[in-house]
């Protein structure tokens, strides 16, 4: 476990005298309050993280994107099983529109699925993004996003349509003082980051001048447009940075204003393997050494407090050493509070504890022939080489048909430990986790100096202000919306609502129907949670208020098209000419056309088949009883002029006694009573138990019939049916009723997508003789996709597939994590000769 707060020992170094002191903080009111409120904030505002593994990054229209979603607890990184719905969207960043949307069912923190690209979609660069309902409480920056390239068989040489090309813009260079501020007379460092058009980093160099045009220092970028320079600013001076372009021209950028008094924080996370050293300098005038003249340094990782120490203002320079072993792996935020307990400085650091999963991929042979079986062994071990169980997804693609976009592209490791906690675009995030890169640690520290972290505001934490959660944790699909007057004004009170969900069977016909009843709040807002339906489902929502008042308008949030904010520039690492992918386009187009022809042939064969059978009359799916004791069918003759259902059946069924009329009516079957008085019958609305008021609110025009069960017939419902049963079956609830044609006032009918059906990836098995597949040319780009590869306690799993007709290299990639949240990536190559 990691420390929250206890006795913290740190070293206070008087740099001017070179003397080392030890200081122990064990009782500070501000620190105790901060610990308590940060813990409360983290508990009441937990975070979730999502990652998507796709089979590749380049697709042709008409192809399928194979997907596996991973869900994690954002604080601890353990597998997150709370949210059960994952939303996946294909976003057109130029048009700012969602072109396709999926709702994937999450099981045990994993969500496999697929996205079929229509032939009509335009070629270009797209964003694949994913999130849960609960993640919508955070800024869109924290949604998972991935850049995809989509091509068309007849596309031009460009990789995107003209409107999708990024517009040229001036070089964007930001200058960021370490810790947040420059203070007169105190040595500091200023980091910078340069971004050009298309979101790509640009190497830059330049110099800094003061107001007198004196050169203070020069600078140049070290990695991905990032670098830093040292400066000791003077009081009353202003500084300007000049960035030089390749053609020799210069652009001027102001350096942040120098403050006359303050605190400067510098962090050394590179020279020591055991400690993070935080150097603090100030030029404030201190009269006495009291608790009011001390600053506080807080270190936390994803809402987990690791250190909280107070540093007195007695000396102008000090250093705090923070043991790295006490930090969770990932990004830590160091925040400095002044004597007024206000945050005045901040710095991010990355703590690498080498806790990532090692994924190995080995094949049973070094080379293979065409259409030969490949046996792969996948192993998962920890840093010490001990086997651990993990859940992975694996893709095998033709490396020639699908060139790798970027060897340093995002992985589950880089996303979980880095990108998911930072705002803005990170170029080549996989670079920082590639052990072959000698300078990756230094460059990662540069990234920490220039990238933003804003999961929460310290002002909210210290004030005990926890933002309200607008979006819930979803255990199932949801229907939310509002009921208003036709003029858009509030309805003026609660509205009773009935929901009917008509599912489709395997043949595409509406079959089983689910029924829900509820009511809105005083403002007309309503919500139905934890629903379970797949594919396209017809939904009917009916509202009633007062005496069958239908003067209502029902809206459904799921029908709205939300505005799309592209928070991260869709960095596209592909820079290629059309001819470089000519074989991919040619082979994929041919393969897709063969698949289309096979489908067309199958349709012709089906048209020549005639099936003869007698229809078997089945019991109404809304009932569990057989023949009722009595039944009243509703038609224009017996329902005309009647206000409620009880008014219609009054006097028509022996043994059913109805007293009163209208909405004041009461009903009793065969005088059922006990020691407490009359026993009310059980009321059912299309098979679902409801109360009398719900039955009375239903329009008689919507009812198909009413069945009544008496005595022994009602025993099927147990003690609930001791007073008999009145079963109301509505016209809309009938499987034969077409909800889509319903245009009654006070109702809303819509077709909504449910959970996307998960298809199994098709891979031919050439060991089994099949005349059709044997004749069929095989030039698939993705040869194999397996979303659920589970290694056991021995850390091993095996998978197999067959090679295609190409003589090429197969690029294999496996990604995944342990249940405790240790991510890992493995790659391999198979040669086909």
């Amino acid at each position: 476990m990691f420390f929250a707060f206890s006795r913290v020992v740190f070293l206070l170094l008087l740099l001017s005298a070179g003397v080392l002191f030890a200081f122990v903080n064990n009782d500070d009111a501000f620190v105790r309050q901060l610990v308590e409120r940060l813990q409360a904030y983290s508990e009441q505002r937990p975070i979730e993280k999502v990652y998507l593994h796709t089979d590749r990054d380049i697709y042709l229209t008409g192809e399928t994107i194979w997907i596996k979603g991973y869900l994690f607890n954002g604080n601890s990184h353990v597998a997150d099983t709370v949210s059960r719905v994952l939303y996946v969207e294909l976003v057109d960043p130029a048009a700012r529109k969602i072109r396709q949307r999926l709702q994937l069912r999450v099981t045990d923190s994993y969500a496999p699925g697929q996205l079929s690209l229509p032939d009509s979609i335009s070629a270009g660069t797209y964003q694949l993004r994913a999130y849960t309902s609960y993640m919508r409480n955070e800024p869109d920056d924290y949604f998972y996003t991935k850049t995809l390239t989509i091509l068309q068989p007849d596309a031009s040489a460009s990789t995107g349509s003209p409107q999708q090309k990024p517009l040229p813009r001036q070089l964007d260079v930001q200058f960021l003082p370490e810790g947040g501020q420059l203070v007169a007379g105190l040595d500091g460092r200023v980091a910078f980051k340069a971004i050009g058009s298309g979101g790509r980093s640009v190497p830059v160099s330049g110099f800094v001048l003061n107001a007198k045009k004196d050169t203070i220092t020069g600078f140049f970028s070290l990695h991905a447009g990032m670098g830093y320079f040292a400066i000791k600013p003077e009081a009353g001076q202003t500084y300007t940075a000049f960035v030089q372009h390749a053609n020799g021209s210069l652009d001027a950028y102001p350096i942040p204003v120098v403050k006359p008094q303050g605190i400067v924080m510098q962090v050394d996370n590179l020279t020591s393997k055991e400690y993070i050293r935080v150097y603090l300098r100030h030029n404030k005038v201190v009269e006495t050494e009291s608790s009011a003249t001390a600053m506080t340094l807080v270190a936390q990782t994803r809402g987990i407090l690791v250190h909280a120490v107070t540093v007195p203002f007695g000396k102008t320079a000090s250093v705090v050493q923070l043991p790295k072993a006490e930090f969770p792996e990932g990004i830590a935020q160091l925040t400095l509070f002044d004597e007024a307990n206000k945050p005045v400085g901040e710095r991010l650091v990355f703590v690498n504890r080498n806790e990532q999963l090692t994924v190995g991929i080995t094949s049973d042979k070094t080379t293979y022939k065409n259409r030969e079986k490949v046996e792969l062994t996948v192993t998962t071990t920890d840093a010490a080489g001990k086997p651990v169980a993990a859940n992975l997804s694996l893709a095998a693609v033709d490396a020639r048909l699908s060139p790798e976009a970027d060897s340093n592209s995002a992985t589950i490791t880089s996303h979980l430990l880095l990108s998911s906690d930072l705002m803005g675009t990170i170029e080549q995030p996989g670079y920082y986790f590639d052990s072959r890169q000698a300078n990756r640690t230094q460059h990662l520290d540069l990234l920490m100096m220039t990238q933003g972290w804003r999961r929460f505001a310290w002002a909210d934490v210290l004030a005990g202000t926890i933002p309200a959660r607008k979006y819930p944790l979803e255990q199932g699909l949801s229907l939310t919306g509002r009921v208003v007057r036709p003029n858009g004004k509030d309805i003026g009170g609660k509205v009773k609502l009935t929901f009917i969900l008509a599912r489709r069977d395997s043949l595409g016909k509406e079959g089983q129907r689910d029924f829900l009843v509820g009511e809105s709040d005083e403002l007309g807002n309503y919500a139905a949670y934890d629903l379970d339906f797949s594919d396209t489902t017809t939904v009917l929502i009916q509202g009633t208020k007062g005496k069958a008042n239908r003067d209502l308008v029902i809206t459904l949030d799921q029908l709205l098209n939300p505005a799309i904010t592209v928070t991260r520039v869709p960095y596209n690492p592909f820079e290629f000419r059309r001819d470089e992918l000519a074989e991919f386009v040619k082979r994929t187009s041919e393969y897709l056309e063969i698949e289309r022809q096979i489908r067309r042939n199958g349709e012709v064969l089906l048209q020549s088949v005639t099936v003869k059978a007698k229809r078997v009359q089945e019991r109404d799916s809304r009932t569990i009883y057989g023949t009722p004791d009595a039944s009243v069918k509703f038609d224009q003759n017996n329902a005309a002029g009647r206000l409620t259902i009880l008014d219609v059946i009054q006097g028509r069924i022996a043994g059913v006694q109805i007293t009163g009329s209208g909405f004041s009516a009461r009903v009793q079957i065969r005088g059922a009573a006990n020691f407490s008085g009359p026993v009310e019958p059980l009321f059912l609305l299309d098979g679902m138990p409801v109360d009398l008021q719900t039955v009375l609110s239903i329009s008689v025009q919507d009812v198909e019939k009413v069945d009544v069960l008496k005595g022994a017939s009602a025993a099927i419902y147990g003690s609930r049916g001791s007073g008999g049963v009145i079963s109301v079956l509505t016209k809309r609830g009938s499987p034969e009723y077409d909800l889509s044609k319903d245009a009654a006032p006070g109702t809303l009918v819509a077709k909504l997508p449910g959970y996307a059906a998960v298809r199994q990836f098709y891979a031919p098995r050439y060991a089994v003789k099949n005349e059709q597949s044997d004749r069929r040319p095989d030039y698939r780009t993705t040869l194999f996709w397996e979303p659920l590869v589970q290694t056991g306690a021995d850390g091993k799993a095996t998978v197999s597939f067959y090679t295609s007709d190409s003589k090429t290299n197969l690029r294999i990639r496996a990604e995944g994590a342990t249940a405790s949240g240790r991510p890992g990536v493995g790659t391999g190559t198979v040669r086909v000769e």
Side-chain angles (χ1 to χ4, degrees):
M1 295 295 294
F2 301 102
F3 294 132
F5 170 71
S6 59
R7 294 175 180 267
V8 181
V9 179
F10 72 99
L11 301 176
L12 178 62
L13 176 63
L14 300 181
L15 298 177
S16 59
V19 181
L20 195 66
F21 290 87
F23 179 85
V24 179
N25 168 37
N26 61 358
D27 187 20
D28 182 270
F30 170 67
V31 171
R32 289 200 309 273
Q33 181 189 62
L34 186 146
V35 170
E36 293 171 357
R37 294 189 175 178
L38 179 59
Q39 183 177 0
Y41 190 98
S42 298
E43 290 176 352
Q44 297 183 49
R45 288 279 296 195
I47 56 178
E48 287 186 314
K49 294 183 178 181
V50 166
Y51 177 76
L52 291 186
H53 181 196
T54 61
D55 59 321
R56 45 195 162 97
D57 299 327
I58 307 177
Y59 298 89
L60 201 65
T61 56
E63 284 198 287
T64 298
I65 303 172
W66 296 96
I67 298 169
K68 181 182 179 182
Y70 293 83
L71 272 67
F72 299 94
N73 179 298
N75 302 90
S76 64
H77 284 176
V78 300
D80 183 17
T81 58
V82 179
S83 289
R84 302 294 176 84
V85 185
L86 178 62
Y87 298 91
V88 179
E89 297 170 342
L90 186 66
V91 178
D92 183 340
R96 297 183 181 272
K97 290 184 178 180
I98 298 173
R99 297 302 184 187
Q100 286 184 278
R101 177 187 280 120
L102 289 177
Q103 295 174 151
L104 299 181
R105 186 192 303 273
V106 179
T107 304
D108 296 330
S109 302
Y110 310 113
Q114 67 286 321
L115 184 67
S116 299
L117 297 174
D119 295 331
S120 59
I121 195 169
S122 300
T125 298
Y126 290 81
Q127 279 187 340
L128 189 68
R129 74 175 188 175
Y131 56 90
T132 65
S133 170
Y134 185 79
M135 288 174 65
R136 296 170 69 191
N137 293 302
E138 302 287 339
D140 290 1
D141 294 82
Y142 297 110
F143 290 1
Y144 172 84
T145 59
K146 177 176 184 174
T147 302
L148 297 179
T149 299
I150 299 176
L151 305 176
Q152 286 184 332
D154 56 350
S156 63
S158 172
T159 62
S161 54
Q163 67 271 21
Q164 288 179 310
K165 292 181 179 179
L167 296 176
R169 59 189 177 100
Q170 184 183 15
L171 190 66
D172 179 16
V173 186
Q174 296 186 21
F175 291 87
L176 309 163
E178 184 176 13
Q181 59 187 355
L182 293 173
V183 179
L186 299 181
D187 291 310
R189 295 192 298 185
V190 177
F192 61 87
K193 185 172 185 178
I195 301 295
S197 62
R200 302 173 189 272
S201 63
V202 178
V204 295
S205 61
F207 51 87
V208 178
L209 302 182
N210 62 15
K212 299 177 182 179
K213 305 300 181 182
D214 296 327
T215 301
I216 303 302
T217 186
F219 59 85
F220 57 90
S221 56
L222 300 173
H223 173 71
M226 298 180 293
Y228 71 92
F229 56 84
I231 187 172
K232 188 174 184 177
E234 299 178 5
Q237 270 287 5
T238 58
Y239 298 90
T240 304
F242 290 86
V243 176
Q244 189 170 14
H245 294 277
N247 60 5
S249 62
L250 296 173
D251 277 336
Y253 297 86
I255 300 296
V257 176
V258 179
K259 294 187 176 182
Q261 285 192 346
I263 310 169
V264 171
M265 176 171 64
Q266 292 185 20
V267 177
D268 177 11
N269 189 33
L270 300 176
T271 60
S272 173
K273 293 182 179 180
E274 289 78 25
Y275 296 100
I276 300 170
R277 294 191 175 102
V278 184
Y279 296 90
L280 303 173
R281 298 178 179 86
H282 74 89
N283 62 357
K284 293 190 173 186
V285 178
V286 180
E287 297 180 356
T288 61
E289 286 199 25
S290 65
S291 59
T293 57
M295 46 187 157
T296 303
L297 179 67
V298 174
Q300 61 91 18
T301 301
R302 301 187 297 271
I304 303 172
L305 192 68
V306 184
H307 290 287
V309 297
T310 55
V311 182
F313 275 108
K315 298 296 180 180
T316 58
S318 57
V319 61
V320 178
Q321 295 198 141
L322 305 175
K324 294 182 180 180
E326 296 174 2
F327 284 82
E329 186 168 46
I331 297 174
Q333 181 188 36
L334 310 181
T335 305
L336 184 67
F337 296 84
D338 64 11
E339 69 278 10
N341 298 332
K342 302 295 183 183
V344 294
E346 185 175 281
R347 172 70 145 85
L348 301 183
V349 295
F350 188 89
V351 179
N352 188 353
R353 298 184 49 150
N354 196 28
E355 293 179 344
Q356 296 139 40
L357 186 68
T358 300
V359 180
I361 302 174
T362 57
S363 57
D364 59 332
K365 296 175 62 176
T366 55
T367 59
Y368 296 86
K369 297 179 180 179
N370 294 131
R371 301 196 176 192
E372 185 177 357
K373 187 176 183 180
V374 178
E375 293 275 3
L376 296 179
T377 299
V378 182
T379 59
T380 50
T381 58
D382 60 16
K386 296 181 180 179
V388 290
N391 191 286
L392 312 166
S393 44
L394 183 145
V397 301
D398 187 324
R400 186 173 60 184
L401 297 183
S402 180
E404 193 169 18
D406 187 348
S407 59
N408 294 312
S409 60
T411 66
I412 191 171
T413 301
S414 67
H415 180 75
L416 195 60
L417 297 178
L418 190 65
S419 308
S420 59
D421 283 327
L422 294 175
M423 300 180 75
T425 301
I426 300 175
E427 189 174 330
Q428 297 183 319
Y431 166 86
Y432 303 104
F433 297 90
D434 186 351
S435 58
R436 298 169 298 180
Q437 305 294 340
N439 298 319
R440 64 189 179 98
T441 303
Q442 293 84 349
H443 296 161
L444 179 56
D445 197 55
L446 266 179
L447 183 70
M448 295 296 98
M449 294 175 69
T450 58
Q451 205 79 19
W453 192 100
R454 289 294 181 275
R455 278 286 185 182
F456 59 81
W458 275 111
D460 291 339
V461 175
L462 295 175
T465 304
I466 301 176
R469 293 187 297 185
K470 181 180 179 181
Y471 301 98
L473 284 163
E474 286 187 323
Q475 295 288 300
L477 300 175
S478 303
L479 297 177
T480 59
R482 193 175 180 217
V483 185
V484 295
R485 294 286 186 187
N487 58 8
K489 294 184 178 179
D490 289 349
I491 202 66
K494 297 181 179 180
V495 178
K496 290 185 178 295
L497 295 165
T498 302
F499 301 83
I500 301 177
L501 281 72
R503 306 166 183 260
R504 292 185 178 274
D505 58 21
S506 59
L507 298 178
K509 295 183 178 180
E510 290 186 358
Q512 180 180 345
R513 301 197 173 191
D514 294 333
F515 303 88
L516 302 168
V517 293
E519 62 182 9
S520 70
D521 63 15
E522 295 291 340
L523 298 177
N525 300 305
Y526 68 86
Y529 297 117
D530 303 340
L531 305 178
D532 186 352
F533 55 94
S534 300
D535 296 326
T536 302
T537 297
T538 302
V539 177
L540 180 142
I541 306 174
Q542 175 181 307
T544 56
K545 186 174 186 298
K547 297 184 177 180
N549 181 7
R550 295 302 186 84
D551 192 19
L552 309 172
V553 174
I554 301 175
T555 62
L556 187 62
D557 294 339
Q558 282 71 15
L559 297 178
L560 302 178
N561 291 319
I564 298 299
T565 302
V566 181
T567 57
R568 299 191 184 208
V569 178
Y571 170 75
N572 187 356
F574 286 100
E575 293 182 345
F576 50 74
R577 300 185 308 274
R578 167 88 175 168
D579 56 359
E580 292 177 330
L581 288 177
E583 186 174 3
F584 163 71
V585 174
K586 177 177 180 294
R587 292 296 192 187
T588 304
S589 299
E590 292 173 350
Y591 192 81
L592 290 174
E593 181 55 37
I594 291 172
E595 287 188 332
R596 295 189 190 100
Q597 185 60 48
I598 291 174
R599 286 196 295 268
R600 286 194 292 267
N601 292 342
E603 291 170 359
V604 171
L605 289 174
L606 286 175
Q607 289 173 0
S608 64
V609 176
T610 302
V611 178
K612 294 182 178 180
K614 292 183 178 180
R615 180 179 180 181
V616 178
Q617 185 67 35
E618 297 181 354
R619 179 194 300 169
D620 195 320
S621 60
R622 296 170 289 175
T623 65
I624 63 173
Y625 53 83
T627 303
D629 293 317
S631 183
V632 175
K633 288 188 175 293
F634 280 45
D635 53 35
Q636 292 183 351
N637 294 328
N638 59 23
R642 306 292 182 176
L643 185 60
T644 70
I645 293 173
L646 295 186
D647 291 341
V648 176
I649 67 173
Q650 188 173 21
R652 295 178 180 272
I653 303 175
V656 177
Q657 301 171 346
I658 298 175
T659 58
S661 61
F663 291 93
S664 300
R666 292 293 179 269
V667 61
Q668 193 176 11
I669 298 177
R670 288 182 174 175
N674 55 27
F675 290 109
S676 300
V679 176
E680 191 177 69
L682 171 66
F683 295 98
L684 300 175
L685 176 61
D686 289 320
M688 184 180 64
V690 294
D691 59 18
L692 174 59
Q693 291 304 310
T694 299
V695 171
L696 293 175
S697 67
I698 297 173
S699 170
V700 295
Q701 304 300 324
D702 293 336
V703 178
E704 177 186 352
K705 66 177 180 176
V706 171
D707 292 338
V708 175
L709 306 182
K710 311 172 187 177
S713 300
I716 192 173
Y717 291 97
S719 60
R720 295 182 303 167
S722 60
V725 175
I726 294 181
S727 175
V728 180
L729 301 175
T730 64
K731 296 175 183 176
R732 296 189 181 100
S734 171
E736 305 299 326
Y737 186 84
D738 187 358
L739 294 178
S740 63
K741 297 180 180 179
D742 197 308
T747 63
L748 172 69
V749 179
K751 291 186 181 295
L752 296 179
Y755 289 117
V758 180
R759 300 203 324 259
Q760 186 171 359
F761 180 83
Y762 168 73
R765 307 189 69 83
Y766 291 118
V768 179
K769 292 298 180 182
N770 185 306
E771 184 177 348
Q772 183 178 13
S773 62
D774 287 346
R775 294 199 311 264
R776 176 183 177 182
D778 185 0
Y779 292 101
R780 291 166 293 139
T781 304
T782 299
L783 280 77
F784 184 68
W785 167 256
E786 177 51 66
L788 299 174
V789 178
Q790 179 68 56
T791 60
D794 61 351
K796 293 183 179 181
T798 59
V799 296
S800 63
F801 61 93
Y802 288 81
T803 62
S804 65
D805 291 336
S806 293
K807 297 186 183 300
T808 183
N809 286 330
L810 304 183
R811 187 175 65 249
I812 302 169
R813 185 187 189 96
E815 298 190 55
T818 64
S820 61
R822 292 187 180 187
V825 181
T827 58
T829 302
V830 169
R831 177 66 183 167
V832 182
E833 296 180 344

